[in-house]
Amino acid sequence: MKITSFPEYEQAYKKSVEQPEQFWKEIADNFLWRKKWDKILNWNFTEPKIEWFKGAKLNITENCLDRHLETMGDKPAIIWEPNDPTEDHRVLTYKQLYDKVCQFANVLKNNGAKKGDRICIYMPMVPELAIAVLACARLGAIHSVVFGGFSAQSIADRILDAECNIVITTDGGVRGDKKIPMKTVIDDALVRCPSVKKVIVLTHTRTPVSMIKGRDVWWEDEIKKVETQGNKEFIAEEMDAEDMLFILYTSGSTGKPKGVVHTCGGYMVYAGYTFTNAFQYEPGEVYFCTADIGWITGHSYIVYGPLSQGATTVMFEGVPTWPDAGRFWDIVDKYKVNIFYTAPTAIRSLMSFGDEPLKGKDLSSLTKLGSVGEPLNEEAWHWFDERIGKKKCPIVDTWWQTETGGFMISPIANVTPLKPGYATLPLPGVQPILVDEKGEEILGNGVSGNLCIKFPWPGMLRTTYGDHERCRTTYFATYKDLYFTGDGCLRDEDGYYRITGRVDDVLNVSGHRIGTAEVENAINMHSSVVESAVVGYPHDIKGQGVYAFVVCPNQHGDQELARKDIMMTVSRIIGAIAKPDKIQFVTGLPKTRSGKIMRRILRKIAEGDTSNLGDISTLLDPGVVEDIKAGAL
Ligand code: WTA
């Protein structure tokens, strides 16, 4: 299933359009199925209804673990680098990982978990996070991983939405010099979540925690019980290709995050196929993705994609700048990493430290580089290429989304000719089209429009958990018979794709998706705030920064203190990742007569471009614009 030359790419692409079922059948044949499908594809984008490999039976963990045991049992599956570089790293071979997954699946079973249950995982980047994810999949429970940076309130919302009955967490987490009291955050969240009957707590930081009788159990004690029972194996649950594998919450243009649902068969095929192809993974190579498993990148390209392909995947607990800005390069040097996959925000941040952190670091093992999460600007592209890749490593700029499950538009390393700033060409199986506001297709090259996909691919989302209508209206109703990505895109003279950013009210802050409505809701929770409007503005490191215009009429005292209070509120309600970078107090927001906030004007002001604000005559009170301009930060 590996494409190794450009003519092969062109041929595969053609086949994927002309005979999609045959194309995907041949790829799916590379995986382990207990029973093969009755039908490759059933679909319509109207409901939407998408079924891949219907009737097939499998367990994704048999593909990620069991099938490698004979040939690669003693090969490293996961290499774990701790936050503190003076502490010991850990290596788990495929056999060891298999044993631990079986063990923990037994723990879950002993604690009442069964197929179809939803299990919330809130853990730092430790190997047990990957073990927990895989154990859920082995047992047929649906995992919902919540990123460690989210607040108790956000976790509770997600647990309630999915009606989770088990939570897996740790006593605490560490990132750089910061400690995160994970169990305490979970305790706060669970006050609102009666559906949760068990909390399994891994000892990690030895932070003191309170354990509630009957509800909370220690990971280590539960493992001991399994050992006493003598249960070494756990026979994987047989799943239908279309059974749910996981839910992952992501922000949209409304205030409430949605639970994107991926299913077992199609997701597995897609994650494996895209991993192997884009990175041209060769057996024995060491692969390091710097993402967190709390995001889709970690799901698809730390856990499922690499493991399904028998790869060695590096998991890193810490942050790129601690103890210093050479940390990634130390890791590359230490484990002789061949493939390094990171985010533009990290590249830009490390670039700002200059060459010093690179001194004495041997990066000669690197052969391929990758980037994800937001557009990789040309300056950062060149720095990455020259300083890290030494001009000998292709950079795969992978465009995709939580909803797509895997790479969509991306170079294939050493196959696709590159162009800085471009995600280049669609992978075989992906049919992008550009449309105008009315949904008319924009044909030809050298054009820009809204990016849609016109044909299903196996890794696409199937629904949003508990609310199929929301899935339809968000993705399939904007333009008839198309999946709408929410991104704007340029197709240049050569037919190459360049993603220009979101066209909806979603911000991309350091590669994290944040809905402006969500941040506004959080700010409005503050007792002295009447209303607010949040927009993005260009930020050198983060890509986009969060700019909040806040109406706070009784705010007479210390503005700095009031700002801090509002920041604190956002941290409490959503999490520190959504904290505004700038808060401007205003007397009113620019609204039309019908009460709609004219964000276009606020965006311009936030960008510092007030020379031409366009037509403001339809505003209820054009006067507020002058005030806002005068107070701009
Ligand atoms: C953006 C992350 C430009 C885009 C995998 C998309 C990108 C959103 C790229 C999805 C890229 C992701 N170039 N923009 N290579 N990759 N994006 O769901 O706006 O966290 O819609 O998935 O990130 O973010 P998500």
PDB file of all heavy atoms in Angstrom, residues 19-47:
ATOM      1  N   GLN A  19     -12.140   4.147  -9.410  1.00  0.00           N
ATOM      2  CA  GLN A  19     -12.605   2.890  -8.795  1.00  0.00           C
ATOM      3  C   GLN A  19     -12.348   2.949  -7.292  1.00  0.00           C
ATOM      4  O   GLN A  19     -11.506   2.183  -6.781  1.00  0.00           O
ATOM      5  CB  GLN A  19     -11.823   1.699  -9.349  1.00  0.00           C
ATOM      6  CG  GLN A  19     -11.915   1.485 -10.837  1.00  0.00           C
ATOM      7  CD  GLN A  19     -10.840   0.466 -11.230  1.00  0.00           C
ATOM      8  OE1 GLN A  19      -9.719   0.830 -11.580  1.00  0.00           O
ATOM      9  NE2 GLN A  19     -11.158  -0.811 -11.120  1.00  0.00           N
ATOM     10  N   PRO A  20     -13.044   3.841  -6.582  1.00  0.00           N
ATOM     11  CA  PRO A  20     -12.721   4.023  -5.164  1.00  0.00           C
ATOM     12  C   PRO A  20     -12.854   2.742  -4.345  1.00  0.00           C
ATOM     13  O   PRO A  20     -12.030   2.489  -3.459  1.00  0.00           O
ATOM     14  CB  PRO A  20     -13.718   5.090  -4.699  1.00  0.00           C
ATOM     15  CG  PRO A  20     -14.735   5.212  -5.776  1.00  0.00           C
ATOM     16  CD  PRO A  20     -14.113   4.723  -7.035  1.00  0.00           C
ATOM     17  N   GLU A  21     -13.854   1.924  -4.646  1.00  0.00           N
ATOM     18  CA  GLU A  21     -14.044   0.732  -3.816  1.00  0.00           C
ATOM     19  C   GLU A  21     -12.893  -0.250  -3.998  1.00  0.00           C
ATOM     20  O   GLU A  21     -12.384  -0.817  -3.034  1.00  0.00           O
ATOM     21  CB  GLU A  21     -15.396   0.081  -4.110  1.00  0.00           C
ATOM     22  CG  GLU A  21     -16.545   1.040  -3.796  1.00  0.00           C
ATOM     23  CD  GLU A  21     -17.866   0.356  -3.523  1.00  0.00           C
ATOM     24  OE1 GLU A  21     -17.886  -0.880  -3.320  1.00  0.00           O
ATOM     25  OE2 GLU A  21     -18.887   1.069  -3.509  1.00  0.00           O
ATOM     26  N   GLN A  22     -12.463  -0.413  -5.230  1.00  0.00           N
ATOM     27  CA  GLN A  22     -11.340  -1.306  -5.507  1.00  0.00           C
ATOM     28  C   GLN A  22     -10.067  -0.757  -4.856  1.00  0.00           C
ATOM     29  O   GLN A  22      -9.292  -1.483  -4.236  1.00  0.00           O
ATOM     30  CB  GLN A  22     -11.180  -1.446  -7.035  1.00  0.00           C
ATOM     31  CG  GLN A  22     -10.066  -2.374  -7.473  1.00  0.00           C
ATOM     32  CD  GLN A  22     -10.259  -3.812  -6.956  1.00  0.00           C
ATOM     33  OE1 GLN A  22     -11.380  -4.245  -6.679  1.00  0.00           O
ATOM     34  NE2 GLN A  22      -9.158  -4.546  -6.798  1.00  0.00           N
ATOM     35  N   PHE A  23      -9.901   0.547  -4.980  1.00  0.00           N
ATOM     36  CA  PHE A  23      -8.718   1.201  -4.403  1.00  0.00           C
ATOM     37  C   PHE A  23      -8.628   0.936  -2.899  1.00  0.00           C
ATOM     38  O   PHE A  23      -7.601   0.496  -2.392  1.00  0.00           O
ATOM     39  CB  PHE A  23      -8.787   2.713  -4.672  1.00  0.00           C
ATOM     40  CG  PHE A  23      -7.696   3.496  -3.993  1.00  0.00           C
ATOM     41  CD1 PHE A  23      -6.428   3.567  -4.551  1.00  0.00           C
ATOM     42  CD2 PHE A  23      -7.938   4.155  -2.787  1.00  0.00           C
ATOM     43  CE1 PHE A  23      -5.411   4.288  -3.917  1.00  0.00           C
ATOM     44  CE2 PHE A  23      -6.930   4.870  -2.144  1.00  0.00           C
ATOM     45  CZ  PHE A  23      -5.659   4.930  -2.715  1.00  0.00           C
ATOM     46  N   TRP A  24      -9.751   1.167  -2.184  1.00  0.00           N
ATOM     47  CA  TRP A  24      -9.716   1.008  -0.729  1.00  0.00           C
ATOM     48  C   TRP A  24      -9.710  -0.460  -0.309  1.00  0.00           C
ATOM     49  O   TRP A  24      -9.185  -0.802   0.740  1.00  0.00           O
ATOM     50  CB  TRP A  24     -10.874   1.767  -0.076  1.00  0.00           C
ATOM     51  CG  TRP A  24     -10.619   3.249  -0.094  1.00  0.00           C
ATOM     52  CD1 TRP A  24     -11.280   4.191  -0.820  1.00  0.00           C
ATOM     53  CD2 TRP A  24      -9.601   3.948   0.637  1.00  0.00           C
ATOM     54  NE1 TRP A  24     -10.742   5.438  -0.600  1.00  0.00           N
ATOM     55  CE2 TRP A  24      -9.712   5.321   0.293  1.00  0.00           C
ATOM     56  CE3 TRP A  24      -8.596   3.568   1.524  1.00  0.00           C
ATOM     57  CZ2 TRP A  24      -8.867   6.299   0.828  1.00  0.00           C
ATOM     58  CZ3 TRP A  24      -7.755   4.537   2.055  1.00  0.00           C
ATOM     59  CH2 TRP A  24      -7.891   5.880   1.706  1.00  0.00           C
ATOM     60  N   LYS A  25     -10.284  -1.298  -1.148  1.00  0.00           N
ATOM     61  CA  LYS A  25     -10.241  -2.725  -0.837  1.00  0.00           C
ATOM     62  C   LYS A  25      -8.787  -3.206  -0.763  1.00  0.00           C
ATOM     63  O   LYS A  25      -8.384  -3.889   0.169  1.00  0.00           O
ATOM     64  CB  LYS A  25     -10.999  -3.538  -1.900  1.00  0.00           C
ATOM     65  CG  LYS A  25     -10.920  -5.026  -1.678  1.00  0.00           C
ATOM     66  CD  LYS A  25     -11.169  -5.838  -2.938  1.00  0.00           C
ATOM     67  CE  LYS A  25     -10.818  -7.294  -2.744  1.00  0.00           C
ATOM     68  NZ  LYS A  25      -9.402  -7.553  -2.447  1.00  0.00           N
ATOM     69  N   GLU A  26      -8.010  -2.788  -1.766  1.00  0.00           N
ATOM     70  CA  GLU A  26      -6.613  -3.232  -1.807  1.00  0.00           C
ATOM     71  C   GLU A  26      -5.827  -2.727  -0.596  1.00  0.00           C
ATOM     72  O   GLU A  26      -4.949  -3.405  -0.088  1.00  0.00           O
ATOM     73  CB  GLU A  26      -5.956  -2.786  -3.119  1.00  0.00           C
ATOM     74  CG  GLU A  26      -6.458  -3.632  -4.282  1.00  0.00           C
ATOM     75  CD  GLU A  26      -6.106  -3.075  -5.654  1.00  0.00           C
ATOM     76  OE1 GLU A  26      -5.150  -2.278  -5.752  1.00  0.00           O
ATOM     77  OE2 GLU A  26      -6.809  -3.448  -6.618  1.00  0.00           O
ATOM     78  N   ILE A  27      -6.159  -1.534  -0.126  1.00  0.00           N
ATOM     79  CA  ILE A  27      -5.470  -1.011   1.059  1.00  0.00           C
ATOM     80  C   ILE A  27      -5.933  -1.754   2.310  1.00  0.00           C
ATOM     81  O   ILE A  27      -5.119  -2.169   3.139  1.00  0.00           O
ATOM     82  CB  ILE A  27      -5.672   0.509   1.158  1.00  0.00           C
ATOM     83  CG1 ILE A  27      -4.849   1.162   0.046  1.00  0.00           C
ATOM     84  CG2 ILE A  27      -5.247   1.044   2.530  1.00  0.00           C
ATOM     85  CD1 ILE A  27      -5.131   2.578  -0.199  1.00  0.00           C
ATOM     86  N   ALA A  28      -7.246  -1.962   2.390  1.00  0.00           N
ATOM     87  CA  ALA A  28      -7.789  -2.638   3.577  1.00  0.00           C
ATOM     88  C   ALA A  28      -7.275  -4.072   3.692  1.00  0.00           C
ATOM     89  O   ALA A  28      -7.172  -4.616   4.795  1.00  0.00           O
ATOM     90  CB  ALA A  28      -9.315  -2.617   3.532  1.00  0.00           C
ATOM     91  N   ASP A  29      -6.927  -4.670   2.552  1.00  0.00           N
ATOM     92  CA  ASP A  29      -6.403  -6.036   2.568  1.00  0.00           C
ATOM     93  C   ASP A  29      -5.095  -6.160   3.351  1.00  0.00           C
ATOM     94  O   ASP A  29      -4.684  -7.259   3.708  1.00  0.00           O
ATOM     95  CB  ASP A  29      -6.180  -6.547   1.129  1.00  0.00           C
ATOM     96  CG  ASP A  29      -7.484  -7.034   0.499  1.00  0.00           C
ATOM     97  OD1 ASP A  29      -8.421  -7.356   1.265  1.00  0.00           O
ATOM     98  OD2 ASP A  29      -7.568  -7.083  -0.740  1.00  0.00           O
ATOM     99  N   ASN A  30      -4.428  -5.028   3.590  1.00  0.00           N
ATOM    100  CA  ASN A  30      -3.169  -5.058   4.364  1.00  0.00           C
ATOM    101  C   ASN A  30      -3.388  -5.135   5.870  1.00  0.00           C
ATOM    102  O   ASN A  30      -2.426  -5.118   6.626  1.00  0.00           O
ATOM    103  CB  ASN A  30      -2.360  -3.796   4.073  1.00  0.00           C
ATOM    104  CG  ASN A  30      -1.831  -3.789   2.667  1.00  0.00           C
ATOM    105  OD1 ASN A  30      -0.924  -4.539   2.347  1.00  0.00           O
ATOM    106  ND2 ASN A  30      -2.430  -2.985   1.815  1.00  0.00           N
ATOM    107  N   PHE A  31      -4.642  -5.147   6.299  1.00  0.00           N
ATOM    108  CA  PHE A  31      -4.919  -5.170   7.741  1.00  0.00           C
ATOM    109  C   PHE A  31      -5.471  -6.531   8.142  1.00  0.00           C
ATOM    110  O   PHE A  31      -5.843  -7.346   7.296  1.00  0.00           O
ATOM    111  CB  PHE A  31      -5.893  -4.037   8.103  1.00  0.00           C
ATOM    112  CG  PHE A  31      -5.276  -2.672   7.925  1.00  0.00           C
ATOM    113  CD1 PHE A  31      -5.210  -2.073   6.670  1.00  0.00           C
ATOM    114  CD2 PHE A  31      -4.735  -1.992   9.009  1.00  0.00           C
ATOM    115  CE1 PHE A  31      -4.616  -0.825   6.505  1.00  0.00           C
ATOM    116  CE2 PHE A  31      -4.140  -0.750   8.847  1.00  0.00           C
ATOM    117  CZ  PHE A  31      -4.084  -0.163   7.600  1.00  0.00           C
ATOM    118  N   LEU A  32      -5.543  -6.718   9.466  1.00  0.00           N
ATOM    119  CA  LEU A  32      -6.008  -7.996   9.997  1.00  0.00           C
ATOM    120  C   LEU A  32      -7.497  -7.886  10.348  1.00  0.00           C
ATOM    121  O   LEU A  32      -7.875  -7.080  11.195  1.00  0.00           O
ATOM    122  CB  LEU A  32      -5.188  -8.305  11.259  1.00  0.00           C
ATOM    123  CG  LEU A  32      -5.452  -9.617  11.965  1.00  0.00           C
ATOM    124  CD1 LEU A  32      -4.986 -10.788  11.097  1.00  0.00           C
ATOM    125  CD2 LEU A  32      -4.699  -9.635  13.300  1.00  0.00           C
ATOM    126  N   TRP A  33      -8.310  -8.666   9.662  1.00  0.00           N
ATOM    127  CA  TRP A  33      -9.753  -8.664   9.905  1.00  0.00           C
ATOM    128  C   TRP A  33     -10.147 -10.046  10.398  1.00  0.00           C
ATOM    129  O   TRP A  33      -9.673 -11.047   9.864  1.00  0.00           O
ATOM    130  CB  TRP A  33     -10.518  -8.344   8.617  1.00  0.00           C
ATOM    131  CG  TRP A  33     -10.105  -7.066   7.938  1.00  0.00           C
ATOM    132  CD1 TRP A  33      -9.094  -6.912   7.038  1.00  0.00           C
ATOM    133  CD2 TRP A  33     -10.681  -5.769   8.122  1.00  0.00           C
ATOM    134  NE1 TRP A  33      -9.004  -5.592   6.643  1.00  0.00           N
ATOM    135  CE2 TRP A  33      -9.969  -4.870   7.287  1.00  0.00           C
ATOM    136  CE3 TRP A  33     -11.734  -5.260   8.897  1.00  0.00           C
ATOM    137  CZ2 TRP A  33     -10.270  -3.508   7.211  1.00  0.00           C
ATOM    138  CZ3 TRP A  33     -12.038  -3.910   8.821  1.00  0.00           C
ATOM    139  CH2 TRP A  33     -11.304  -3.049   7.995  1.00  0.00           C
ATOM    140  N   ARG A  34     -11.051 -10.107  11.362  1.00  0.00           N
ATOM    141  CA  ARG A  34     -11.550 -11.437  11.757  1.00  0.00           C
ATOM    142  C   ARG A  34     -12.490 -11.960  10.681  1.00  0.00           C
ATOM    143  O   ARG A  34     -12.584 -13.149  10.437  1.00  0.00           O
ATOM    144  CB  ARG A  34     -12.303 -11.326  13.082  1.00  0.00           C
ATOM    145  CG  ARG A  34     -11.381 -10.974  14.233  1.00  0.00           C
ATOM    146  CD  ARG A  34     -11.604 -11.914  15.393  1.00  0.00           C
ATOM    147  NE  ARG A  34     -10.852 -11.451  16.546  1.00  0.00           N
ATOM    148  CZ  ARG A  34     -11.369 -11.315  17.753  1.00  0.00           C
ATOM    149  NH1 ARG A  34     -12.641 -11.625  17.976  1.00  0.00           N
ATOM    150  NH2 ARG A  34     -10.628 -10.903  18.754  1.00  0.00           N
ATOM    151  N   LYS A  35     -13.225 -10.999  10.077  1.00  0.00           N
ATOM    152  CA  LYS A  35     -14.088 -11.353   8.950  1.00  0.00           C
ATOM    153  C   LYS A  35     -14.072 -10.159   8.016  1.00  0.00           C
ATOM    154  O   LYS A  35     -14.091  -9.013   8.487  1.00  0.00           O
ATOM    155  CB  LYS A  35     -15.520 -11.601   9.460  1.00  0.00           C
ATOM    156  CG  LYS A  35     -16.548 -11.759   8.372  1.00  0.00           C
ATOM    157  CD  LYS A  35     -17.985 -11.851   8.932  1.00  0.00           C
ATOM    158  CE  LYS A  35     -19.034 -11.752   7.849  1.00  0.00           C
ATOM    159  NZ  LYS A  35     -19.262 -10.411   7.340  1.00  0.00           N
ATOM    160  N   LYS A  36     -14.020 -10.403   6.728  1.00  0.00           N
ATOM    161  CA  LYS A  36     -13.999  -9.275   5.790  1.00  0.00           C
ATOM    162  C   LYS A  36     -15.402  -8.714   5.581  1.00  0.00           C
ATOM    163  O   LYS A  36     -16.400  -9.325   5.946  1.00  0.00           O
ATOM    164  CB  LYS A  36     -13.361  -9.703   4.480  1.00  0.00           C
ATOM    165  CG  LYS A  36     -11.861  -9.957   4.661  1.00  0.00           C
ATOM    166  CD  LYS A  36     -11.006  -9.214   3.665  1.00  0.00           C
ATOM    167  CE  LYS A  36      -9.542  -9.349   4.047  1.00  0.00           C
ATOM    168  NZ  LYS A  36      -8.649  -9.427   2.882  1.00  0.00           N
ATOM    169  N   TRP A  37     -15.463  -7.550   4.999  1.00  0.00           N
ATOM    170  CA  TRP A  37     -16.688  -6.774   4.803  1.00  0.00           C
ATOM    171  C   TRP A  37     -17.672  -7.428   3.836  1.00  0.00           C
ATOM    172  O   TRP A  37     -17.312  -8.219   2.979  1.00  0.00           O
ATOM    173  CB  TRP A  37     -16.288  -5.401   4.260  1.00  0.00           C
ATOM    174  CG  TRP A  37     -15.241  -5.546   3.192  1.00  0.00           C
ATOM    175  CD1 TRP A  37     -15.419  -5.757   1.869  1.00  0.00           C
ATOM    176  CD2 TRP A  37     -13.817  -5.555   3.410  1.00  0.00           C
ATOM    177  NE1 TRP A  37     -14.203  -5.902   1.238  1.00  0.00           N
ATOM    178  CE2 TRP A  37     -13.210  -5.777   2.145  1.00  0.00           C
ATOM    179  CE3 TRP A  37     -13.004  -5.397   4.531  1.00  0.00           C
ATOM    180  CZ2 TRP A  37     -11.817  -5.841   1.973  1.00  0.00           C
ATOM    181  CZ3 TRP A  37     -11.621  -5.464   4.363  1.00  0.00           C
ATOM    182  CH2 TRP A  37     -11.045  -5.677   3.094  1.00  0.00           C
ATOM    183  N   ASP A  38     -18.928  -7.017   3.982  1.00  0.00           N
ATOM    184  CA  ASP A  38     -19.940  -7.377   2.992  1.00  0.00           C
ATOM    185  C   ASP A  38     -19.936  -6.342   1.877  1.00  0.00           C
ATOM    186  O   ASP A  38     -20.210  -6.639   0.720  1.00  0.00           O
ATOM    187  CB  ASP A  38     -21.332  -7.415   3.634  1.00  0.00           C
ATOM    188  CG  ASP A  38     -21.362  -8.405   4.799  1.00  0.00           C
ATOM    189  OD1 ASP A  38     -20.760  -9.488   4.646  1.00  0.00           O
ATOM    190  OD2 ASP A  38     -21.952  -8.079   5.861  1.00  0.00           O
ATOM    191  N   LYS A  39     -19.663  -5.097   2.266  1.00  0.00           N
ATOM    192  CA  LYS A  39     -19.702  -4.018   1.263  1.00  0.00           C
ATOM    193  C   LYS A  39     -18.631  -2.998   1.641  1.00  0.00           C
ATOM    194  O   LYS A  39     -18.475  -2.665   2.820  1.00  0.00           O
ATOM    195  CB  LYS A  39     -21.111  -3.380   1.310  1.00  0.00           C
ATOM    196  CG  LYS A  39     -21.332  -2.245   0.355  1.00  0.00           C
ATOM    197  CD  LYS A  39     -22.493  -2.542  -0.604  1.00  0.00           C
ATOM    198  CE  LYS A  39     -22.797  -1.426  -1.603  1.00  0.00           C
ATOM    199  NZ  LYS A  39     -21.708  -0.745  -2.200  1.00  0.00           N
ATOM    200  N   ILE A  40     -17.893  -2.506   0.648  1.00  0.00           N
ATOM    201  CA  ILE A  40     -16.818  -1.546   0.943  1.00  0.00           C
ATOM    202  C   ILE A  40     -17.402  -0.214   1.415  1.00  0.00           C
ATOM    203  O   ILE A  40     -16.952   0.356   2.406  1.00  0.00           O
ATOM    204  CB  ILE A  40     -15.921  -1.314  -0.298  1.00  0.00           C
ATOM    205  CG1 ILE A  40     -15.264  -2.605  -0.732  1.00  0.00           C
ATOM    206  CG2 ILE A  40     -14.914  -0.183  -0.053  1.00  0.00           C
ATOM    207  CD1 ILE A  40     -13.968  -2.936  -0.054  1.00  0.00           C
ATOM    208  N   LEU A  41     -18.388   0.302   0.666  1.00  0.00           N
ATOM    209  CA  LEU A  41     -18.860   1.665   0.967  1.00  0.00           C
ATOM    210  C   LEU A  41     -20.352   1.837   0.709  1.00  0.00           C
ATOM    211  O   LEU A  41     -20.854   1.445  -0.341  1.00  0.00           O
ATOM    212  CB  LEU A  41     -18.066   2.666   0.097  1.00  0.00           C
ATOM    213  CG  LEU A  41     -18.524   4.122   0.118  1.00  0.00           C
ATOM    214  CD1 LEU A  41     -18.364   4.736   1.494  1.00  0.00           C
ATOM    215  CD2 LEU A  41     -17.730   4.944  -0.907  1.00  0.00           C
ATOM    216  N   ASN A  42     -21.011   2.428   1.686  1.00  0.00           N
ATOM    217  CA  ASN A  42     -22.401   2.894   1.555  1.00  0.00           C
ATOM    218  C   ASN A  42     -22.397   4.341   1.944  1.00  0.00           C
ATOM    219  O   ASN A  42     -21.863   4.664   2.996  1.00  0.00           O
ATOM    220  CB  ASN A  42     -23.291   2.232   2.609  1.00  0.00           C
ATOM    221  CG  ASN A  42     -23.831   0.920   2.151  1.00  0.00           C
ATOM    222  OD1 ASN A  42     -24.256   0.785   1.015  1.00  0.00           O
ATOM    223  ND2 ASN A  42     -23.805  -0.054   3.050  1.00  0.00           N
ATOM    224  N   TRP A  43     -22.977   5.210   1.159  1.00  0.00           N
ATOM    225  CA  TRP A  43     -22.914   6.606   1.614  1.00  0.00           C
ATOM    226  C   TRP A  43     -23.942   7.514   0.975  1.00  0.00           C
ATOM    227  O   TRP A  43     -24.413   7.279  -0.131  1.00  0.00           O
ATOM    228  CB  TRP A  43     -21.537   7.195   1.340  1.00  0.00           C
ATOM    229  CG  TRP A  43     -21.250   7.486  -0.110  1.00  0.00           C
ATOM    230  CD1 TRP A  43     -21.007   6.564  -1.084  1.00  0.00           C
ATOM    231  CD2 TRP A  43     -21.182   8.771  -0.719  1.00  0.00           C
ATOM    232  NE1 TRP A  43     -20.774   7.195  -2.271  1.00  0.00           N
ATOM    233  CE2 TRP A  43     -20.870   8.549  -2.088  1.00  0.00           C
ATOM    234  CE3 TRP A  43     -21.343  10.078  -0.269  1.00  0.00           C
ATOM    235  CZ2 TRP A  43     -20.719   9.608  -3.001  1.00  0.00           C
ATOM    236  CZ3 TRP A  43     -21.189  11.117  -1.180  1.00  0.00           C
ATOM    237  CH2 TRP A  43     -20.884  10.879  -2.526  1.00  0.00           C
ATOM    238  N   ASN A  44     -24.320   8.538   1.746  1.00  0.00           N
ATOM    239  CA  ASN A  44     -24.908   9.753   1.185  1.00  0.00           C
ATOM    240  C   ASN A  44     -24.537  10.881   2.135  1.00  0.00           C
ATOM    241  O   ASN A  44     -24.401  10.668   3.341  1.00  0.00           O
ATOM    242  CB  ASN A  44     -26.420   9.606   0.993  1.00  0.00           C
ATOM    243  CG  ASN A  44     -27.160   9.655   2.304  1.00  0.00           C
ATOM    244  OD1 ASN A  44     -27.212  10.685   2.975  1.00  0.00           O
ATOM    245  ND2 ASN A  44     -27.738   8.518   2.707  1.00  0.00           N
ATOM    246  N   PHE A  45     -24.326  12.055   1.564  1.00  0.00           N
ATOM    247  CA  PHE A  45     -23.950  13.208   2.382  1.00  0.00           C
ATOM    248  C   PHE A  45     -25.179  13.999   2.830  1.00  0.00           C
ATOM    249  O   PHE A  45     -25.045  15.039   3.467  1.00  0.00           O
ATOM    250  CB  PHE A  45     -22.989  14.130   1.604  1.00  0.00           C
ATOM    251  CG  PHE A  45     -21.537  13.699   1.648  1.00  0.00           C
ATOM    252  CD1 PHE A  45     -20.571  14.413   0.931  1.00  0.00           C
ATOM    253  CD2 PHE A  45     -21.117  12.615   2.415  1.00  0.00           C
ATOM    254  CE1 PHE A  45     -19.225  14.043   0.977  1.00  0.00           C
ATOM    255  CE2 PHE A  45     -19.776  12.235   2.452  1.00  0.00           C
ATOM    256  CZ  PHE A  45     -18.835  12.953   1.725  1.00  0.00           C
ATOM    257  N   THR A  46     -26.373  13.502   2.498  1.00  0.00           N
ATOM    258  CA  THR A  46     -27.577  14.254   2.859  1.00  0.00           C
ATOM    259  C   THR A  46     -27.933  14.038   4.319  1.00  0.00           C
ATOM    260  O   THR A  46     -28.191  14.999   5.044  1.00  0.00           O
ATOM    261  CB  THR A  46     -28.774  13.832   1.976  1.00  0.00           C
ATOM    262  OG1 THR A  46     -28.270  13.539   0.681  1.00  0.00           O
ATOM    263  CG2 THR A  46     -29.811  14.907   1.907  1.00  0.00           C
ATOM    264  N   GLU A  47     -27.900  12.747   4.745  1.00  0.00           N
ATOM    265  CA  GLU A  47     -28.306  12.496   6.153  1.00  0.00           C
ATOM    266  C   GLU A  47     -27.302  13.043   7.168  1.00  0.00           C
ATOM    267  O   GLU A  47     -27.763  13.657   8.140  1.00  0.00           O
ATOM    268  CB  GLU A  47     -28.499  10.990   6.365  1.00  0.00           C
ATOM    269  CG  GLU A  47     -29.636  10.411   5.565  1.00  0.00           C
ATOM    270  CD  GLU A  47     -29.730   8.885   5.730  1.00  0.00           C
ATOM    271  OE1 GLU A  47     -29.813   8.449   6.888  1.00  0.00           O
ATOM    272  OE2 GLU A  47     -29.734   8.167   4.731  1.00  0.00           O
TER     273      GLU A  47
END
